Amino acid sequence: MSGAGLATAALAAIQSLDAPALDVFFDLLVDEFSPDPARVEQAAAAYGTHPSSTNLRRLREAVEPPRQELFRRLNLAPAGLARLIEMRRRLLCTLADHVQRASIDDDLVQLFRSWFNGGFLLLQRIEWSTSALVLERLIQYEAVHEIHGWRDLRRRLEADRRCYALFHPSLPDEPLIFIEVALTRGMSAKVQPLLHPDSVVVDPRTVDCATFYSISNCQEGLRGVSFGNGLINQAVADLRRAFPQLRMFATLSPIPGFTRWLATATASLGCDVISAELAALLARLAAGDAPDPTTMSGDLQSELSRLCAYYLLHAKRGNVPLDPVARFHLANGAFLERLNWLGDTSVAGIHRSLGMCVNYLYRFGDVERNHQAYARENKISASCEFERLATLQVG
Amino acid sequence: MSGAGLATAALAAIQSLDAPALDVFFDLLVDEFSPDPARVEQAAAAYGTHPSSTNLRRLREAVEPPRQELFRRLNLAPAGLARLIEMRRRLLCTLADHVQRASIDDDLVQLFRSWFNGGFLLLQRIEWSTSALVLERLIQYEAVHEIHGWRDLRRRLEADRRCYALFHPSLPDEPLIFIEVALTRGMSAKVQPLLHPDSVVVDPRTVDCATFYSISNCQEGLRGVSFGNGLINQAVADLRRAFPQLRMFATLSPIPGFTRWLATATASLGCDVISAELAALLARLAAGDAPDPTTMSGDLQSELSRLCAYYLLHAKRGNVPLDPVARFHLANGAFLERLNWLGDTSVAGIHRSLGMCVNYLYRFGDVERNHQAYARENKISASCEFERLATLQVG
Amino acid sequence: MSGAGLATAALAAIQSLDAPALDVFFDLLVDEFSPDPARVEQAAAAYGTHPSSTNLRRLREAVEPPRQELFRRLNLAPAGLARLIEMRRRLLCTLADHVQRASIDDDLVQLFRSWFNGGFLLLQRIEWSTSALVLERLIQYEAVHEIHGWRDLRRRLEADRRCYALFHPSLPDEPLIFIEVALTRGMSAKVQPLLHPDSVVVDPRTVDCATFYSISNCQEGLRGVSFGNGLINQAVADLRRAFPQLRMFATLSPIPGFTRWLATATASLGCDVISAELAALLARLAAGDAPDPTTMSGDLQSELSRLCAYYLLHAKRGNVPLDPVARFHLANGAFLERLNWLGDTSVAGIHRSLGMCVNYLYRFGDVERNHQAYARENKISASCEFERLATLQVG
Amino acid sequence: MSGAGLATAALAAIQSLDAPALDVFFDLLVDEFSPDPARVEQAAAAYGTHPSSTNLRRLREAVEPPRQELFRRLNLAPAGLARLIEMRRRLLCTLADHVQRASIDDDLVQLFRSWFNGGFLLLQRIEWSTSALVLERLIQYEAVHEIHGWRDLRRRLEADRRCYALFHPSLPDEPLIFIEVALTRGMSAKVQPLLHPDSVVVDPRTVDCATFYSISNCQEGLRGVSFGNGLINQAVADLRRAFPQLRMFATLSPIPGFTRWLATATASLGCDVISAELAALLARLAAGDAPDPTTMSGDLQSELSRLCAYYLLHAKRGNVPLDPVARFHLANGAFLERLNWLGDTSVAGIHRSLGMCVNYLYRFGDVERNHQAYARENKISASCEFERLATLQVG
């Protein structure tokens, strides 16, 4: 009669462990709750000889770390799921110094991927009438364009804005991920006018474009469980139902890795490629200075734009784009439509990408083809203009 | 943009397969979506040599059948979960003739155990104000004491009755399991008076015992995923909140395997042990006759009672009780309290156990000890009277 | 601190009064809680002399029976509203013998009309997933075409049927009125095929007509508070949203007063008008016999049809139709479209109108004009065919 | 088919009227929609002669202004109720200059009293998880202790605070009235420590007193419809359920009329009664100066305390207390427990009552007796200490 009771007690105990005690606990999970190599080899050999269903079952039992069952039982406690997510958050902080614990992490990720299967998640529109508890978490979790208090938030929930979040039924007050959308006439090129709390509210019957300007994961302890694709699909479906007149679904996205890449990559691109002005800018960046893009010369603007387009289209990590936001949208089937100079002039925007941002476009006729081309050949789709811009005269 | 869309199409296709086409599909899942034995052996050897987290991850990837990922994706479709459960129901029908498919079944059971983790299930009290859609399913799924229409059901939901069911958040209209409780003065010995639609409704403020008289699993496709323990625990917790004056939590349970056992076991018990009257009864049973326990002699009643108590306490399958209901309640920490002659005189009750039924008692001070004793040593707890009754003078 | 407490105690006391004690209570309400005639006359005179707002206020205070305030306070009790409705139901039973109590009734009706203002009522679609408690009340309250148990009810809630009810927020389990709709291809002429539990369910995407075949008031204690018009309007609005392809909104209505009228009215129509066959039929009716319309001669069918059309179009009570259902739909702006021989062959249908029923048609372009014509001049709209049928060759 | 449609159009038209057009509309309601004095006198005479139920009905029909029916119909529109409340708000602004319109106001108040009968209102606990839309309205409507933004509000919704509001089912986002409660150890004497956003949250299991420190009506257009008594009763009932250990239910209330009274009343109390220091203070007040009570002499503090206690206990408007908050709580059955020097040192508190506030105590054994004594004889209950304090040595 005590599964839930034991789980509650155990989780409360784990929750209260300080860092050294938690280390002991994690080491125990590695040392005592891992599969037995001898038993694994034996089961693998039997399956190799005779791949029957019985042998497969034995093999899988031998391979599953016993800590998996422990985690499953801990979930029986009230708030068990939230506490397991918190436990993984604490585990993640220790991984760099304890590589063996990656196995514990693998177990938790596997569990969470199963439990947070997209079929179980609930799309919820976030409105001003939503619980303040949830709204407060949006303020806290927004990772792209900071929300400066309730007035700022309220503008993002007006009639010409939409906000959607995914929830797990067992965590009704905890958004897993959320996306913010501006309904606009034409595709937006700049984010500050969208965010301004006093900006004029557009009559949503007159819009033709949905601009996705921010998407944020909320739970550090669910890192590696992917929610973005499902959220975008469902948000688009809901927007099409509500506004059949929409003709464009685009993002207005940050370029988080550009400045970092710029600092290191220009050397390898060859010295012919960069101007003296850019060299000076790089020196300032290296010194920790924040340049002001509104005062840059036309030549520098042009040079930086070309480099940024090149970065998005050609800079790679292995076979895929170096930029994480690019990886996400391109894998989803979007394509690179337009680079926007002065698109995000916030401190964060300048720090990330010298004030530039980019529109990815979701064109329904092409999404599946783009997605397949990317998945099979890592092929990136882009507009002609974008491709032209990305052509560097490398020396 | 098409995970859910593809899943929907695929599930619809599978749903529409006729039996031969489904056979082809299942064979494909075995032949093409099983782990590669060579890769498994290699990964197992690497882990044996060096049990690092990387090698463990590779081993687990090698061991997981690719069809697992397929099933996870199918769940993205609307109603995906219901259709996967239905697919397994159809798979189960074919297992006897296709033993290799047990691996598919293992995959589905593993998924379902993860997805239907007790921490995600919702206890719901079933009342007359519950949706008729759900009530109709209770009528359909009741497996112990048939519900003869809406009037019969309504009596089971009156003020001195309780009914609880567990639901998964994605299947809000589909009970997974339900339990029926009579609030009584003293522990009930007979089930027919409880079920009679015209029986007097007792004032629930005057009761002292909760009698669990029926528990039914609802989803054939979830066979092997256990819900009973969680349901009983939560039902008991809710009852204690609502009726602090309750002093006893007992079952009034069927003995499904007694008649079957009786037919085969008496021989092995030795000829001294059975009377001529019982021998005649056994002959009638063998001929498919249904005897009437109300007309049996006192001697026969006494003989059958002793045999039935013996069956519950001593008849085994391996180390555990042969009777499945006994296995369930004894593993949960209940003990054998009392055998009831003429406890269930329905056709089914006579067919199952010649009209006898049994009270298992959940005594809170003892549940944990009973559960541990059963789990570690297969020890069965019973009242002194019950143990005395179970003593056969075997020749 | 005791408004609600006093109200609860008072209502419980009233609820428990037997008939004689209730008589005493009602007499008290008349004798002690009526306006004081002298004070009324004085206030009226003052208002006549000087119709100021102060004098109007005093006049209204003088005129309001003190029992009104009593009733308002009783409503503070939990379930107060239900008990006041029940109190009026009991009052209505005594009105015939106690005409002075009509004043109490006027007070209650005035309160209920205010409290049940259409703006506060909630339209709810009734489905198979609705609470069994509510569904059971539909079975109990259906006044036109009896519902024979749950199987019968279920057919009325299938995909090609709709059922709507109005609720008051304080009485969430008590429908006030409900309407049943069949979605059909073409306007239905006969009710039995619609009601048959085994009738084929039509794909609702293929229908073009919504046939309202039953509408029932539920609360005897709310007699005189009218809900029908609001319910039809909202039901039509919901149907149009759900099925934009619907081209016709018609009723298939009973003719409750025809047989009664026929028995008394033929004499006054002149002896030339009725055939010997009809005279024989009338004699049988007078003797309490139930004739079978399926066996009647073509001549008699024709004669009865003409008389029934005449009844609906020309028989009056004052300036309005004698038939109550006609009064309701014609006042709402419907018009008389078609008389249906053998439209309702149930015992009740034969008893009401010798098996005939009638389609009223709601044509949106005409509803407002019909309503105005009826409201101003008691003008009844009917199809040409119906008007032709209603022409009697009176001798 | 057009009741709701007409009402919608009419209300939209009224809503859009500018002030002069609205004047025309209100004049029309007075001139054309008032009872006919001649018809009233005739009906009153008939009732005087023969007070039958028929004559009473005719009299009441004659007396009811036809605009009542108009208002009832306007309520059929979506948002009709909110718009009628808004219409009355605008009407109230014009009453001072148009006394005849008091009749319209009487009609609306009568309707609203009927529609907002306490039996229909819903108590809702307001929490941090409540809709931000509702929370924002609390910030806007708080009338006693201003809420300075979301952080301030949040403190008022922590574990040791409670907030309750009443709602009408047709206005789910519009609180009608709300009350704020601090759960404290002992009765609070000062309001600023309760309101401070950084004040320590007390463990609610350790409290013994519920201090009601603020109660605000929200809808100007519902002025004269009383909600406070019902709200307090229900809040107390909910608190007792949740915290059975509570031993005191007290208010910490403002004294809104003291400063105003002080300025005018001291003269009439006789010149012996006031000190030179107080005379100087009065002169400063008359000059619009805000004195600082924390710097006042002990003598002045004592003198002001005695005057304030006198004001609460003896200053009258007719037979009832002059102070509106005193009228409210004393009529509800509370009694005057304690005067608190420096109880509310906010600008508003000093302006209202020179920083003093007062505890009214609801003692359950006495509430009904106090209420009756007040209702029948306008008798005010107070603690001995309070009565002593209120004794002035008037010259």
Side-chain angles (χ1 to χ4, degrees), chain D residues 3 19 71 73-74 97 161 173 179 183 208 210 262-263 266 286 308 315 347 353 360 363 373:
Chain D
F71 297 149
R73 291 194 184 186
L74 291 177
D97 297 329
R161 298 289 183 269
D173 294 330
I179 194 166
L183 301 172
D208 60 1
L262 187 64
T266 40
C308 190
V347 172
S353 51
Y360 299 93
R363 224 158 34 190

Side-chain angles (χ1 to χ4, degrees), chain D residues 207-380:
Chain D
V207 303
D208 60 1
C209 179
T211 302
F212 297 78
Y213 66 89
S214 184
I215 178 163
S216 301
N217 280 294
C218 304
Q219 308 295 329
E220 174 61 18
L222 292 176
R223 197 200 291 168
V225 185
S226 117
F227 300 120
N229 188 16
L231 176 59
I232 290 187
N233 289 345
Q234 292 184 61
V236 165
D238 190 77
L239 287 165
R240 296 179 89 173
R241 259 193 305 272
F243 303 101
Q245 82 272 24
L246 287 175
R247 315 213 156 275
M248 259 182 297
F249 292 83
T251 76
L252 183 59
S253 296
I255 310 165
F258 176 60
T259 313
R260 209 175 320 121
W261 171 82
L262 187 64
T264 60
T266 40
S268 66
L269 291 171
C271 53
D272 292 9
V273 119
I274 75 163
S275 65
E277 212 177 346
L278 177 53
L281 172 67
L282 289 175
R284 284 185 54 194
L285 282 174
D289 243 29
D292 176 359
T294 63
T295 63
M296 293 180 185
S297 73
D299 282 352
L300 185 54
Q301 168 181 346
S302 156
E303 187 174 12
L304 283 169
S305 297
R306 280 181 292 113
L307 280 162
C308 190
Y310 178 90
Y311 162 74
L312 287 167
L313 204 51
H314 301 303
K316 304 284 180 178
R317 194 183 67 180
N319 292 318
V320 297
L322 183 57
D323 190 82
V325 173
R327 277 202 303 278
F328 173 71
H329 288 299
L330 297 171
N332 281 345
F335 76 99
L336 279 162
E337 170 67 4
R338 188 174 70 186
L339 192 77
N340 301 297
W341 182 254
L342 300 184
D344 176 9
T345 54
S346 68
V347 172
I350 292 171
H351 183 258
R352 284 192 287 248
S353 51
L354 298 168
M356 286 175 280
C357 63
V358 60
N359 297 119
Y360 299 93
L361 198 59
Y362 283 87
R363 224 158 34 190
F364 292 105
D366 302 336
V367 156
E368 186 58 27
R369 194 178 53 224
N370 292 344
H371 166 71
Q372 295 291 346
Y374 182 89
R376 290 183 187 153
E377 319 159 40
N378 298 303
K379 200 176 160 316
I380 297 177

Side-chain angles (χ1 to χ4, degrees), chain D residues 1 39 82 110 135 149 153 170 310 316 345 348 367:
Chain D
M1 298 302 259
R39 189 177 156 217
Q110 190 183 337
L135 294 184
L153 173 63
S170 294
Y310 178 90
K316 304 284 180 178
T345 54
V367 156

Side-chain angles (χ1 to χ4, degrees), chain D residues 13-32:
Chain D
I14 295 168
Q15 191 90 349
S16 70
L17 296 179
D18 59 9
L22 195 65
D23 272 335
V24 174
F25 173 66
F26 287 147
D27 287 343
L28 187 83
L29 287 181
V30 172
D31 297 342
E32 306 291 332

Side-chain angles (χ1 to χ4, degrees), chain A residues 170-187:
Chain A
S170 294
L171 298 171
D173 294 329
E174 273 294 351
L176 305 175
I177 188 172
F178 65 97
I179 193 166
E180 294 163 83
V181 190
L183 301 171
T184 52
R185 299 187 199 120
M187 188 171 64

Side-chain angles (χ1 to χ4, degrees), chain B residues 128-133 135-136 150 154, chain C residues 128-133 135-136 150 154:
Chain B
W128 187 240
S129 61
T130 299
S131 155
L133 188 59
L135 296 184
E136 186 183 40
W150 293 84
R154 192 173 179 170
Chain C
W128 187 239
S129 61
T130 299
S131 154
L133 187 60
L135 295 184
E136 186 184 39
W150 292 85
R154 193 175 177 168

Side-chain angles (χ1 to χ4, degrees), chain A residues 128-133 135-136 150 154, chain D residues 128-133 135-136 150 154:
Chain A
W128 187 239
S129 62
T130 299
S131 155
L133 188 59
L135 295 184
E136 186 183 40
W150 292 84
R154 192 175 177 166
Chain D
W128 188 240
S129 62
T130 299
S131 154
L133 187 60
L135 294 184
E136 186 183 40
W150 293 85
R154 192 173 179 170

